[in-house]
Amino acid sequence: MNDSQPAPRPPEAAQVPAWLKAFGALLRPWIRIHRTPEDVHTLLPEDARPTVYVIERYGLSDTLILEQACAEAGLPSPYAAADQLPIKRRRAVVALSRRPRVFGRQPHPTRSETLSLLADIVRAHPEQDVRLVPVSIFVGRAPDRESGWFSVLFSENWVVVGRFRRLLALALNGRDTHVQFAAPVSLREVIADQPEAERGVRKLQRILRAHFRRIRAAVIGPDLSHRRTLIDGVVNAAPVQQAIDTNASKEGIDRDKAARKARAFAWEIAADQSHLVVRSASFMLTGLWEKIYRGVHMNHFAELRKIVPGHEVVFVPCHRSTTDDALLPYLLYRNGLTVPHIAAGVNLNLPLIGPLLRRGGAFFLRRSFSDPFYSTVFREYMSQLIARGISLMYFIEGGRSRTGRTLEPRGGLLSMTLRSFLRQPERPVVFQPVYIGYEKIMEGESYIGELSGKPKEKESWGALLRGLGALRDNYGAVTVNFGEPLFLTPLLDQIAPDWRSAAENPDAKPAWLKAAVDTLGERILVNINRAAHANPINLLAVALLATPKHAMAEADLLAQLELYKALLSTLPYSERVTLTSLGPAEIIAYGEKMQWIRRVAHPLGDVLTVDAKQGVLLSYFRNNVTHLFATASWVACCFLNNRRLARTSILRLGRLIYPFVQAELFLPWSEDEFGERIQKTLDFFIAQGLLEADADGRIMERGPGQSDPAFRLRALAHTLLPAIERYYIGLALLVKNGPHTLTAGELENLCYLSAQRLSLLHELNAPEFFDRSLFRGFIQKLRERRVVWADENGKLDFDLTLEEVAKDARVILSREIRHGILKLTPEKQAELTRSEAAASTQA
């Protein structure tokens, strides 16, 4: 070592002043620290370099909290770490901003003398370095039930508070103190490229301030004190100013009136998020969730926490219940992240309720964007939110799923998000898919009514008050799984490598935008499905709804549940899918406790059954997880009407049907990957004794029709069978009516009516069987794959290969079902008209 280099002072026992120890002893009972990450040693391994902790604001309480957090985490205390510094300091702590002192020489408000001295030493001795550890401290971020309503007034925010207010915050909210350690920063590396040490220190402080701002925005949300400024920014933006001129000219009004109209649009849309309201809502919702749920469980949240700082996060959950809007933001907030701004339909902007939702972070949008003036203002508002780094949350499925299925994506908000990103592509955008799984939903009764043809009840105070009665029930457990995130920049690089050129004219609509929106929407839904949770009610629904009377002997149900759990464990759908930990007997007991199933005692063995009304509701929960069983169900379908089948035939037919199943269930595999999954599923069935293979493994064979293995396969096949029956209805109608006869819309309507009637005649007690959107998606996929196409008159044309495809259905569907479908499919448009008239009369 160079003789001129100052050696670190020899380690000594940490000399904590007695008065500080006394203050620490007084404060400790009032402080409960929540540390991030819990195991800080993975982030801060042992290091020979001296360590300096960096905090955002100086305060005695922050120093004491840091001391306690280091002790609990097993890290060197700020006083012990000071002994290793090459300069004389009582504690190894640097604050980026300081309050004025009451007595003595006033410190510089932003310049750190400690950092400057350390930088001079490191610059003079390049072999020496100092490790800087940023530590964020938040007191009273989310008050708990014990802390009282008054405590929300003294929770952490963006305002620098005085000593007395900080003391009250510690007294009221100290038990909810969050301490977040960040990755260490090398002082030598930061100042190495600077011509002088002081410039390097200023650069380092800018980096650290930006880091603390990002963490504070991620934890407590952005600074929302300037809503009027935001609206002014929206109205004064060039696209809105141009829209004002266009509207004034089009409607023949003066420009000021058009400008007032734009401002009114902005006030109608904009959120007015209040940290006080958010904290109060968190306090209230804690009691609500504890009352109506038996637990709210999260999975894969740690992966999300890592990507939040530095990213514009757009949360895109599935939409299964009205509670989605409150549950996900609540969980984010209670686990250390900010509440996003949430897109809500303007129909929720009711008196009193609307302002509360707005202050909780809701911004309102109309159901239709047909008015280009309104559309421009809304798009600019979205751009302003993204530019300010405010996280967003919206449902790309549009409305709630009434059937439990994942709905087709709607690209409106996705398109606006992409176009907003093009205006300022410096801040990376990430879409976070979220799966929310329930065991019972409040809207079950209304969903049944709407699927049966009743109009959707409009949102009103009366409807809200009537819905309060549902809060007396218990709705089981809720599972929230965070799926694999989608980073926008790599996605655009893949779809449109020249997308950056569009940033030169961000108001233009690039030709590749629609393809990018479609791809993004599909991948979001695929990743939502890849994060599904199979809860006990899902598994019971899949098993019991597969039988004609929705009933099974207890022994059979136990075996079927055991099969499903083995399948999902042995051949996992994805790494983020989760499965209930309950065993088959516990699942049945839980279903009885939740009153989904009923036990019928019998001397030869109890029977578990589902009442008719409950059966319709359970179809919702079966549909949540249909995609998890798609491959196994397809293989089982192949043995419904066949005792023996070649492995190659199963693969060939699987590849034929896969594009349609993939589009309907948002499956993640390519056709080749689906083929590989079929092979693994066949091997699994052989291992389970459900199938047998010949000597060379080419021919698969199931047991006799009345055997237990055949029963298991029939029950498993039922999961996908309705979809195959729907496909056959569409193909049969096309073939029966012939080419150049039906438009796509006419075919969709014929499919809907035929499926509805088939459901009535065959007691298919599942409303989604005749869901129009499923037929619409099937027809669209036929057109995409050029199986059918439109002629010059808009009529659908096809060649003879379609008849061959329809004939392949005999391998899967029984003769009874095929003949029943063919008998019910109308042949002429006149018959369709009569059917529609009869349906209208009946309604």
Side-chain angles (χ1 to χ4, degrees), residues 37 42 58 126 141 301 384 447 569 620 627 663 680 722 775 781:
T42 58
Y58 175 79
R141 202 190 142 269
F301 182 75
Q384 294 280 346
Y447 282 0
S569 300
Y620 179 96
H627 61 285
K680 292 178 181 178
F775 288 112
K781 182 59 65 173

Side-chain angles (χ1 to χ4, degrees), residues 544 550-555 557 592 598-602 604-609:
L544 289 170
H550 301 168
M552 272 192 187
E554 185 172 19
L557 182 55
E592 292 181 88
R598 180 169 53 88
R599 180 182 295 270
V600 179
H602 194 275
L604 297 182
D606 291 357
V607 173
L608 283 307
T609 185

Side-chain angles (χ1 to χ4, degrees), residues 191-232:
I191 67 173
D193 60 346
Q194 299 299 314
E196 56 186 30
E198 191 57 34
R199 290 185 62 179
V201 171
R202 290 199 296 270
K203 173 187 174 182
L204 172 62
Q205 289 180 315
R206 287 196 302 271
I207 293 172
L208 290 170
R209 286 194 183 93
H211 163 78
F212 284 120
R213 281 197 301 271
R214 286 198 304 270
I215 297 299
R216 184 168 287 271
V219 171
I220 69 171
D223 187 355
L224 301 171
S225 58
H226 305 293
R227 182 184 181 226
R228 188 179 297 275
T229 304
L230 186 147
I231 289 177
D232 288 342

Side-chain angles (χ1 to χ4, degrees), residues 383-589:
S383 298
Q384 294 280 346
L385 293 183
I386 292 175
R388 291 167 181 251
I390 296 173
S391 59
L392 303 175
M393 171 180 148
Y394 50 74
F395 304 99
I396 65 169
E397 298 169 274
R400 282 172 278 135
S401 172
R402 265 64 178 172
T403 63
R405 289 175 173 270
T406 303
L407 304 179
E408 288 285 336
R410 297 186 181 181
L413 290 175
L414 287 177
S415 177
M416 290 183 183
T417 305
L418 262 64
R419 295 183 70 178
S420 299
F421 169 73
L422 292 177
R423 293 176 57 176
Q424 291 184 319
E426 297 82 12
R427 183 175 178 84
V429 173
V430 58
F431 291 87
Q432 177 58 64
V434 185
Y435 177 91
I436 306 176
Y438 298 92
E439 295 177 351
K440 187 179 284 188
I441 53 173
M442 299 180 186
E443 306 89 343
E445 298 284 345
S446 63
Y447 282 0
I448 294 176
E450 290 171 34
L451 289 168
S452 302
K454 294 180 181 178
K456 178 181 178 292
E457 185 177 7
K458 293 184 178 180
E459 285 75 9
S460 65
W461 266 101
L464 177 64
L465 293 174
R466 286 192 296 273
L468 292 178
L471 300 180
R472 293 192 298 266
D473 297 334
N474 190 283
Y475 295 89
V478 183
T479 300
V480 178
N481 285 352
F482 293 90
E484 184 178 348
L486 291 164
F487 295 88
L488 184 54
T489 299
L491 180 68
L492 292 180
D493 288 338
Q494 179 183 358
I495 298 172
D498 62 339
W499 66 268
R500 289 173 178 81
S501 62
E504 300 171 2
N505 185 13
D507 295 326
K509 192 174 181 179
W512 49 262
L513 182 65
K514 185 179 185 305
V517 170
D518 292 344
T519 302
L520 177 60
E522 182 180 347
R523 292 191 183 180
I524 288 172
L525 295 182
V526 166
N527 282 8
I528 288 175
N529 276 353
R530 291 179 66 197
H533 174 72
N535 64 44
I537 310 307
N538 296 140
L539 298 181
L540 285 172
V542 172
L544 289 170
L545 297 187
T547 59
K549 290 191 174 183
H550 301 168
M552 272 192 187
E554 185 172 19
D556 289 333
L557 182 55
L558 288 169
Q560 200 69 23
L561 293 172
E562 185 68 44
L563 172 64
Y564 293 162
K565 291 203 65 176
L567 175 65
L568 296 178
S569 300
T570 307
L571 298 176
Y573 187 86
S574 80
E575 293 180 354
R576 299 206 180 204
V577 165
T578 53
L579 175 64
T580 177
S581 60
L582 299 182
E586 294 171 308
I587 290 174
I588 292 175

Side-chain angles (χ1 to χ4, degrees), residues 555-794:
D556 289 333
L557 182 55
L558 288 169
Q560 200 69 23
L561 293 172
E562 185 68 44
L563 172 64
Y564 293 162
K565 291 203 65 176
L567 175 65
L568 296 178
S569 300
T570 307
L571 298 176
Y573 187 86
S574 80
E575 293 180 354
R576 299 206 180 204
V577 165
T578 53
L579 175 64
T580 177
S581 60
L582 299 182
E586 294 171 308
I587 290 174
I588 292 175
Y590 189 72
E592 292 181 88
K593 183 178 179 181
M594 291 287 292
Q595 299 180 352
W596 277 116
I597 61 177
R598 180 169 53 88
R599 180 182 295 270
V600 179
H602 194 275
L604 297 182
D606 291 357
V607 173
L608 283 307
T609 185
V610 178
D611 296 332
K613 185 177 179 180
Q614 294 288 73
V616 178
L617 286 172
L618 274 180
S619 69
Y620 179 96
F621 296 94
R622 177 195 59 195
N623 294 341
N624 290 170
V625 296
T626 297
H627 61 285
L628 300 182
F629 298 94
T631 309
S633 185
W634 163 251
V635 173
C637 282
C638 292
F639 291 91
L640 281 175
N641 303 296
N642 302 279
R643 181 83 181 270
R644 303 173 75 249
L645 206 60
R647 188 183 286 254
T648 54
S649 297
I650 299 170
L651 289 170
R652 180 184 67 81
L653 292 171
R655 290 175 182 272
L656 189 66
I657 199 173
Y658 179 66
F660 307 104
V661 179
Q662 181 188 32
E664 181 175 324
L665 300 180
F666 299 100
L667 302 180
W669 311 294
S670 66
E671 290 187 22
D672 288 340
E673 290 170 338
F674 182 63
E676 294 173 5
R677 194 162 179 88
I678 288 176
Q679 297 277 28
K680 292 178 181 178
T681 303
L682 286 168
D683 294 338
F684 170 81
F685 282 170
I686 292 172
Q688 291 286 318
L690 302 181
L691 293 176
E692 294 181 358
D694 62 3
D696 54 8
R698 290 188 307 108
I699 304 298
M700 304 289 111
E701 183 175 355
R702 65 160 170 82
Q706 301 305 315
S707 64
D708 285 343
F711 176 80
R712 306 276 174 269
L713 287 173
R714 280 199 304 274
L716 187 53
H718 194 274
T719 306
L720 197 61
L721 189 60
I724 299 173
E725 292 173 351
R726 282 196 305 273
Y727 303 155
Y728 187 66
I729 288 172
L731 296 178
L733 282 165
L734 277 170
V735 172
K736 193 171 184 179
N737 284 276
H740 309 288
T741 305
L742 300 171
T743 65
E746 291 167 348
L747 177 59
E748 177 190 323
N749 208 28
L750 277 170
C751 290
Y752 165 74
L753 293 171
S754 300
Q756 187 182 53
R757 192 172 182 210
L758 190 68
S759 178
L760 292 171
L761 292 174
H762 290 267
E763 296 184 341
L764 297 172
N765 203 8
E768 80 279 357
F769 182 70
F770 48 88
D771 187 351
R772 286 182 182 273
S773 64
L774 297 178
F775 288 112
R776 190 180 309 123
F778 173 64
I779 296 167
Q780 179 61 30
K781 182 59 65 173
L782 287 174
R783 298 181 70 170
E784 287 177 8
R785 297 185 67 82
R786 296 295 296 170
V787 177
V788 301
W789 57 91
D791 62 16
E792 61 276 7
N793 298 317

